[in-house]
Structure formats: C-alpha cells, structure tokens
Amino acid sequence: MYNILIVDDEPLICKGLTSLLAASGLSIDHIYNAYNAYEALDYLRMEEIDLLVTDIQMGAMNGIELMHEAKLIKPWVQTIIVSAHETFQYAQMAIKLGAKDYLIKPLNSEQFLDSVRNVLLKMNKPAAASEA
C-alpha cells in the first residue's frame, strides 16, 4: 500500500485529486493534502510518503524547491508535477530533479491516474517484510 501527498495551494485541486485517487482502485493506503510547500515538508518528515504530487507555483516556496527539499528528507520519494505552466524551464528543472511526470492543468483524469499508476508500479514496493 502506498501513501500519496498532494500539494496545491488551491484546495479544490487537492480535493479533486484526492477523490479521483480514492475512487481509482489503486493500492493506496493514505492520501495526505498540503496547501503549501512548508506544510508538505512537515508531512514528509512525519509520514511515510511514497509519491509527491505537487503544483509548481505556490506562494513562498515553489514545487521545484519543494522537490529539492523532499529529496533531502526522503531521497526515495517519487514526484509528479502538476502545473498550469507549460514553461520548458520548469519542466527541465523538474526532470533534472527526477520528476516522473509533468502534467499540465486542467488535468485529464485518465492521464493523471495513468501517470500515478505507472509511478507506483515502477516503485515495486515490497509487501511488509516477513521475518523467516
């Protein structure tokens, strides 16, 4: 089971993506929502987050900076960027930091779920370790 953190300064986006993921049938244990990068960093420090889905433009700290900080806290965290900006520079920085996808708003539900599904499948998270 996977834990996903959705970060967007627009609460409706967080709520919509959370609902979409909750109804997807994917192997998701918990979906956390943060409305800014600082709140997201708190979740990253306190919870076992597997996938970070973040907006680019958010107040004091943007999604690229959040990705950088997240990698310092939990290097294994995978990231999908969701942005209203088709700026090549943002996409290039996101890819350099290891983003698994860069999706443009407004999101296509199937495209978003396919992206999340692909990232989770490639993680191949082992089941709870069994002690023999």
Side-chain angles (χ1 to χ4, degrees):
M1 298 290 273
Y2 298 94
N3 292 322
I4 298 176
L5 173 58
I6 298 171
V7 189
D8 199 306
D9 57 354
E10 296 178 50
L12 282 176
I13 299 284
C14 286
K15 187 175 182 179
L17 295 180
T18 297
S19 297
L20 198 58
L21 288 170
S24 69
L26 294 172
S27 183
I28 298 170
D29 185 35
H30 200 93
I31 302 165
Y32 299 94
N33 287 284
Y35 304 107
N36 62 60
Y38 296 103
E39 191 179 350
L41 290 172
D42 287 342
Y43 277 113
L44 285 161
R45 287 184 190 101
M46 296 183 303
E47 306 294 341
E48 286 303 315
I49 304 297
D50 300 299
L51 174 60
L52 172 65
V53 177
T54 184
D55 188 15
I56 287 275
Q57 292 289 50
M58 302 179 296
M61 184 190 300
N62 70 33
I64 298 293
E65 293 165 324
L66 172 59
M67 268 186 80
H68 180 73
E69 293 296 318
K71 291 286 180 192
L72 295 175
I73 296 168
K74 292 192 173 146
W76 60 87
V77 168
Q78 301 299 304
T79 307
I80 294 173
I81 297 285
V82 175
S83 178
H85 302 275
E86 295 185 55
T87 310
F88 176 73
Q89 184 181 7
Y90 280 142
Q92 187 178 34
M93 287 188 292
I95 299 302
K96 277 185 181 174
L97 284 171
K100 297 301 177 190
D101 211 343
Y102 190 97
L103 304 173
I104 304 300
K105 293 178 186 176
L107 290 175
N108 170 300
S109 298
E110 281 307 308
Q111 183 185 19
F112 173 69
L113 289 176
D114 283 346
S115 180
V116 170
R117 190 177 295 112
N118 287 336
V119 171
L120 296 182
L121 285 172
K122 287 177 182 160
M123 272 190 217
N124 197 18
K125 188 174 180 180
S130 58
E131 305 206 10

